[in-house]
């Protein structure tokens, strides 16, 4: 499934998600929501891309993974450049190498070195710093307690940044090998996946799959900041109001996690790595402006971010 949401700013760019779904309809809905988020992400990150996303429904048995991704690459190629693919949940750089063998419309492979995960984590770290500055009134993360949900490629890199900055970590992940790695490297406290919502902490960083901020989980949160890498963290728009009403500062996911898009977009256009890193660190400044406007207008930050993105994409406002 490939969903293209908007191409006003350029060809749609978004990763290929390879996970299990309960139905075709669920996979289509996920692709559409993710594509919209990519449009908004590109608009606020000021990169020359539209929003798109791909989904491959993961089968119980994979007989030939390379053949699967080459078939996907032919599908991408049939769109004639309207959509550029990249890695996402369940997809690797090696998979993108297979795609690159049959289409040029791919960014982030083993050959081009444009792995988006570390850069995504850098952007989330910069955004979390901005949130701490705004909400807690300090420039230091020393001694702050941060709960990270999901310590895969992005979550682990974020954990490293936070550990180096002196933060104390509590983590959860369904994969015990991932949690052990964080225990060994960062002395992180490990809790069961469902218990991560109940942790008394300064910031909660969702870095897994989406839809986890909902009517059941938000009342359990014991933090003042939500700032993480996961896409579509809010189960629906009402959950942003719920966070705002509870006094919890929410960093809109498609703003704070835009580092990966900046990486694959700018490297696709042959920009130097220094520009990628500069633009990624600047996500903290973008969020700082959103937070200030949120405080002045007493509106949830994601409402303001959505409005700004729609003004860029559709000329509204």
């Amino acid at each position: 499934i490939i969903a293209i949401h908007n191409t006003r700013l350029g060809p749609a760019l978004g990763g290929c998600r390879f996970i299990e779904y309960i139905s075709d309809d669920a996979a289509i809905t996920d692709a559409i929501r993710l594509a919209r988020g990519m449009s908004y992400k590109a608009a606020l990150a000021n990169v020359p891309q539209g929003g798109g996303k791909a989904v491959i429904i993961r089968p119980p048995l994979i007989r030939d993974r390379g053949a699967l991704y080459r078939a996907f690459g032919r599908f991408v190629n049939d769109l004639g450049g309207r959509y550029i693919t990249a890695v996402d949940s369940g997809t690797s750089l090696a998979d993108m190498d297979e795609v690159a063998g049959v289409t040029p419309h791919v960014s982030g492979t083993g050959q081009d070195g444009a792995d988006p995960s570390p850069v995504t984590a850098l952007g989330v770290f910069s955004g979390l710093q901005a949130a701490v500055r705004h909400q807690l009134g300090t420039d230091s993360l020393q001694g702050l307690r941060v709960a990270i949900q999901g310590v895969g490629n992005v979550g682990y890199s974020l954990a490293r940044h936070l550990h180096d900055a002196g933060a104390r970590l509590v983590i959860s992940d369904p994969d015990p090998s991932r949690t052990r790695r964080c225990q060994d490297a960062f002395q992180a406290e490990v809790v069961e996946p469902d218990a991560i919502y109940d942790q008394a902490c300064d910031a909660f960083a969702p870095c897994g799959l989406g839809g986890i901020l909902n009517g059941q989980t938000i009342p359990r949160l014991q933090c003042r900041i939500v700032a993480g890498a996961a896409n579509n963290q809010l189960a629906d728009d009402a959950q942003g109001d719920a966070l705002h009403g509870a006094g919890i500062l929410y960093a809109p996911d498609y703003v704070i996690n835009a580092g990966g898009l900046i990486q694959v977009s700018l490297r696709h256009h042959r920009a130097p790595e220094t520009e990628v890193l500069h633009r990624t660190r600047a996500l903290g400044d973008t969020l700082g402006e959103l937070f200030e406007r949120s405080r002045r207008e007493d509106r949830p930050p994601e409402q303001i971010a959505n409005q700004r993105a729609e003004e860029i994409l559709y000329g509204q406002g």
Side-chain angles (χ1 to χ4, degrees), residues 73-93:
R74 291 192 292 273
F75 183 23
V76 171
N77 202 57
D78 286 345
L79 294 174
R82 292 175 60 215
Y83 167 70
I84 300 166
T85 196
V87 298
D88 198 88
S89 300
T91 300
S92 69
L93 293 180

Side-chain angles (χ1 to χ4, degrees), residues 164-180:
D164 291 347
R168 296 177 295 124
L169 304 178
V170 54
I171 62 168
S172 70
D173 195 288
D175 185 341
S177 67
R178 292 177 174 179
T179 56
R180 279 197 301 272

Side-chain angles (χ1 to χ4, degrees), residues 20-136:
E20 296 178 356
Y21 288 89
I22 60 173
S23 67
D24 289 359
D25 284 346
I28 291 168
T29 298
D30 200 27
I32 290 170
R33 288 193 72 203
L34 291 164
R36 174 181 179 269
M38 293 302 293
S39 288
Y40 284 26
K41 186 183 300 190
L44 291 187
N46 192 29
V47 294
Q49 308 296 158
K53 209 74 174 182
V55 162
I56 300 176
I57 301 173
R58 187 182 182 99
L61 177 64
I62 306 168
R63 298 186 185 280
D64 189 333
R65 189 174 178 120
L68 175 64
Y69 276 92
R70 288 192 295 275
F72 169 66
R74 291 192 292 273
F75 183 23
V76 171
N77 202 57
D78 286 345
L79 294 174
R82 292 175 60 215
Y83 167 70
I84 300 166
T85 196
V87 298
D88 198 88
S89 300
T91 300
S92 69
L93 293 180
D95 296 327
M96 291 297 103
D97 288 341
E98 298 288 351
V99 174
V102 293
T103 181
H105 307 304
V106 57
S107 183
T109 67
Q111 279 68 52
D112 65 22
D115 181 359
S117 296
V119 184
T120 300
L122 175 63
V124 174
F125 177 71
S126 297
L128 207 157
Q129 286 179 306
V132 166
R133 189 177 304 116
H134 178 88
Q135 187 78 333
L136 305 182

Side-chain angles (χ1 to χ4, degrees), residues 203-312:
F204 171 50
C207 295
L209 299 179
I212 51 89
L213 296 171
N214 54 53
Q216 288 71 50
T217 59
I218 289 175
R220 296 166 58 186
L221 295 180
Q222 301 181 53
C223 60
R224 296 187 62 194
I225 294 166
V226 173
N231 286 311
N232 295 333
Q233 294 169 30
L234 303 178
D236 54 61
D237 292 343
Q239 306 313 318
D241 293 326
L243 287 169
H244 188 68
I248 299 173
L249 180 66
Y250 174 62
D253 47 36
Y254 64 80
V255 182
I256 195 171
N257 69 12
L261 173 63
I262 291 170
Q263 164 86 329
V264 295
S265 173
L266 296 190
R267 292 303 296 271
H268 193 69
H269 292 279
R270 304 294 187 265
E273 186 70 11
T274 52
E275 182 178 354
V276 171
L277 297 178
H278 171 74
R279 294 273 295 274
T280 300
R281 292 189 180 100
L283 293 172
D285 298 331
T286 300
L287 283 162
E289 294 168 5
L290 287 176
F291 296 152
E292 287 299 327
R293 185 172 166 186
S294 171
R295 176 178 287 168
R296 289 196 309 270
E297 300 179 10
D298 192 23
R299 287 200 294 151
E302 79 281 355
Q303 289 186 12
I304 295 167
N306 289 348
Q307 180 182 342
R308 286 185 57 184
E310 287 161 7
E311 288 169 357
I312 295 169

